[in-house]
């Protein structure tokens, strides 16, 4: 009997040692301890033995059973550890991988310029105003003293919507309707800027059907052209970061200002390169003037008591000049390479004290 037990133990021990998988270990366990397992059967046979035989065989069987259970458990644990390590290796996440550079966003130069404009004019005491892109004839033209025969009203300039019961709507052709909306809404003194989208049926190398302007409006008592000049001079020097930059005011015409002027900045043109704030050349950047008395009357402000000035500037143009961007059309191409090159950090916001651009 003990020979047979020895043989059984040796055979089971070598099967346990040879097992490579948890399934093989389970198979050995069932062969020994299952309902019809070899050890289970031997245990059952004890009842048919004599007392004497049962005592010696029983003790040997118990010892063997304990021994094999421990070996099975140890082997199982060993195989589980191996399996876990394999999984950990296979499913490893490399958390040290840094973000890919193209995931870093950039601020579009138009947004950057608008933020700079808000910072500069904000410092000068201007409030921020806005109006809708879809306008009525009244705000865009009529109240601004633009008569029906004015060329700006003709369809080659203006995008009109289909006529409706409520009147013909249009895409605003300039930010000047925000002047009207603000004056209808607020009592003087008024001091606002209004940057935003504007639209005209124009499409070539220097014109886009969708572009941006910034409007400025100041209404108060005793406002004169000197205020307009110093305001624009301070602005241009701050924006172009040129302390000695000069401006040139040329007489011009706008239906909603009288007198009106176009403003040029001082620059030096040299074989295709351009330096702003020095030299003897001039570049036009904006239109302005004293608010026409008829416009004030149109919004219920008495021109005998209040006067004011207004200006309007193309945002693309001053952005191209300041940041040396050669082609207007690239602003709207959504080309990530262009934005990576000309864009700005989303973290460093322009401020007067902290610097306008990084
Ligand atoms: N609205 C004018 C334009 O688009 C610019 C302007 C604004 C001129 C305010 C004078 C005063 O050309």
């Amino acid at each position: 009997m003990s020979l047979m037990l020895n043989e059984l133990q040796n055979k089971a021990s070598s099967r346990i040692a040879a097992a490579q998988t948890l399934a093989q270990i389970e198979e050995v366990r069932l062969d020994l301890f299952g309902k019809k397992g070899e050890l289970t059967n031997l245990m059952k046979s004890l009842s048919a033995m004599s007392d004497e035989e049962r005592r010696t065989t029983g003790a040997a069987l118990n010892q063997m059973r304990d021994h094999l259970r421990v070996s099975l458990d140890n082997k199982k644990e060993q195989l589980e550890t191996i399996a876990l390590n394999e999984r950990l290796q296979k499913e490893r996440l490399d958390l040290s991988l840094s973000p890919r550079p193209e995931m870093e966003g950039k601020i579009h130069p138009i947004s950057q310029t608008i933020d700079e404009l808000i910072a500069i004019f904000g410092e000068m005491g201007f409030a921020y105003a806005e109006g809708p892109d879809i306008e009525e004839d009244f705000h865009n033209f009529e109240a601004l003293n633009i008569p029906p025969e004015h060329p700006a009203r003709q369809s080659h300039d203006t995008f009109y919507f289909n006529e409706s019961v409520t009147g013909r709507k249009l895409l605003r052709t300039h930010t000047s309707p925000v002047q009207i909306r603000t004056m209808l809404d607020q009592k003087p003194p008024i001091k606002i800027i209004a940057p935003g989208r504007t639209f005209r049926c124009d499409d070539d190398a220097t014109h886009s059907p969708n572009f941006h302007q910034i409007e400025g409006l100041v209404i108060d008592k005793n406002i004169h052209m000197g205020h307009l000049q110093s305001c624009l001079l301070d602005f241009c020097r701050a924006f172009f970061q040129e302390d000695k930059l000069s401006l040139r005011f040329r007489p011009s015409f706008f239906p909603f200002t009288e007198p009106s002027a176009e403003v040029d900045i001082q620059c030096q043109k040299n074989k295709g390169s351009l330096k702003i704030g020095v030299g003897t050349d001039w570049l036009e950047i904006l239109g302005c003037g004293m608010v026409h008395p008829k416009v004030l009357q149109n919004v219920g402000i008495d021109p005998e008591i209040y006067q004011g000035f207004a200006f309007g500037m193309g945002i693309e143009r001053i952005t191209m000049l300041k940041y040396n961007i050669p082609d207007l059309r690239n602003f709207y191409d959504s080309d990530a390479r262009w934005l990576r090159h000309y864009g700005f950090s989303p973290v460093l916001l322009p401020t007067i004290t902290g610097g306008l651009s990084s």
Side-chain angles (χ1 to χ4, degrees):
M1 185 71 182
S2 70
L3 204 72
M4 192 197 100
L5 290 188
N6 268 344
E7 217 173 282
L8 177 62
Q9 172 153 356
N10 288 342
K11 201 180 82 191
S13 294
S14 53
R15 275 185 76 196
I16 293 171
Q20 301 275 358
T21 64
L22 287 167
Q24 285 167 0
I25 277 292
E26 180 61 10
E27 205 180 300
V28 180
R29 197 186 63 79
L30 284 173
D31 287 348
L32 293 173
F33 300 110
K35 259 197 186 141
K36 291 187 177 124
E38 287 179 273
L39 262 170
T40 315
N41 286 340
L42 281 172
M43 289 291 192
K44 278 186 198 153
S45 68
L46 282 179
S47 57
M49 289 180 191
S50 67
D51 285 358
E52 179 63 39
E53 215 181 356
R54 190 184 307 133
R55 214 170 294 130
T56 48
T57 311
L61 267 180
N62 281 342
Q63 214 187 2
M64 185 169 117
R65 181 196 61 201
D66 293 346
H67 175 79
L68 286 176
R69 279 217 171 118
V70 171
S71 319
L72 275 171
D73 285 350
N74 286 345
K75 183 72 185 201
K76 196 175 165 206
E77 210 179 291
Q78 204 185 326
L79 288 175
E80 276 172 350
T81 310
I82 291 171
L84 181 67
N85 283 339
E86 268 173 14
R87 255 189 78 188
L88 285 174
Q89 200 61 36
K90 226 175 22 207
E91 298 173 12
R92 200 164 143 227
L93 289 178
D94 185 356
L95 299 177
S96 68
L97 199 65
S98 55
R100 288 186 291 172
E102 58 268 37
M103 301 300 276
E104 191 183 280
K106 289 277 189 177
I107 298 293
H108 193 282
I110 295 291
S111 306
Q112 170 73 18
T113 295
I114 290 177
D115 288 345
E116 293 180 23
L117 294 168
I118 292 171
I120 297 168
F121 283 111
E123 183 77 7
M124 290 161 81
F126 283 79
Y128 177 90
E130 53 188 11
D133 293 350
I134 298 174
E135 262 299 2
E136 276 131 38
D137 191 275
F138 174 77
H139 299 102
N140 197 82
F141 294 130
E142 204 180 311
L144 285 163
N145 194 34
I146 303 178
E149 64 279 7
H150 193 280
R153 284 204 170 204
Q154 281 162 23
S155 55
H156 72 264
D157 267 334
T158 310
F159 290 107
Y160 284 103
F161 288 84
N162 287 339
E163 236 159 312
S164 71
V165 207
T166 52
R168 194 151 67 143
K169 303 246 190 194
L170 49 88
L171 291 176
R172 65 177 180 185
T173 56
H174 50 178
T175 42
S176 301
V178 187
Q179 287 189 37
I180 301 301
R181 288 183 174 273
T182 308
M183 289 189 287
L184 286 171
D185 219 50
Q186 298 171 20
K187 295 255 163 296
I190 289 169
K191 197 171 175 184
I192 55 121
I193 50 158
R197 276 174 193 283
T198 44
F199 309 86
R200 285 183 203 180
C201 295
D202 250 347
D203 200 3
D204 59 41
T206 53
H207 295 91
S208 152
N210 163 19
F211 59 108
H212 297 75
Q213 285 191 340
I214 180 170
E215 195 79 7
L217 174 70
V218 172
I219 305 285
D220 206 343
K221 290 174 181 162
N222 304 315
I223 297 289
H224 55 71
M225 198 99 182
H227 294 121
L228 168 60
Q229 286 186 307
S230 58
C231 170
L232 291 176
L233 186 62
D234 283 351
F235 160 71
C236 286
R237 287 179 173 173
F239 180 76
F240 291 106
Q241 290 159 318
E242 289 292 341
D243 290 346
K244 297 202 171 67
L245 175 144
S246 301
L247 293 183
R248 184 170 77 173
F249 285 70
R250 270 182 297 107
S252 184
F253 172 80
F254 298 103
F256 37 93
T257 46
E258 181 60 34
S260 303
E262 271 166 315
V263 175
D264 304 335
I265 48 167
Q266 178 192 14
C267 64
Q268 187 67 59
K269 294 175 187 165
N270 191 6
K271 295 188 203 106
S273 85
L274 186 74
K275 179 104 186 63
I276 288 167
V278 293
T280 51
D281 298 318
W282 300 98
L283 250 176
E284 184 202 319
I285 59 157
L286 65 90
C288 64
M290 301 307 292
V291 179
H292 199 293
K294 273 198 193 155
V295 173
L296 294 174
Q297 274 162 0
N298 288 344
V299 294
I301 294 178
D302 185 349
E304 298 296 325
I305 303 173
Y306 290 103
Q307 306 77 39
F309 64 80
F311 57 86
M313 199 162 26
I315 292 181
E316 280 78 356
R317 182 146 173 79
I318 59 171
T319 307
M320 289 167 77
L321 289 174
K322 180 167 178 178
Y323 293 114
N324 273 315
I325 300 176
D327 194 332
L328 173 85
R329 285 169 290 198
N330 295 137
F331 279 120
Y332 316 105
D333 281 346
S334 298
D335 186 332
R337 293 165 303 178
W338 182 88
L339 192 58
R340 229 171 287 142
H341 181 79
Y342 287 109
F344 293 84
S345 159
V347 189
L348 304 166
L349 297 179
T351 61
I352 297 293
T353 45
L356 287 178
S357 48
S358 41

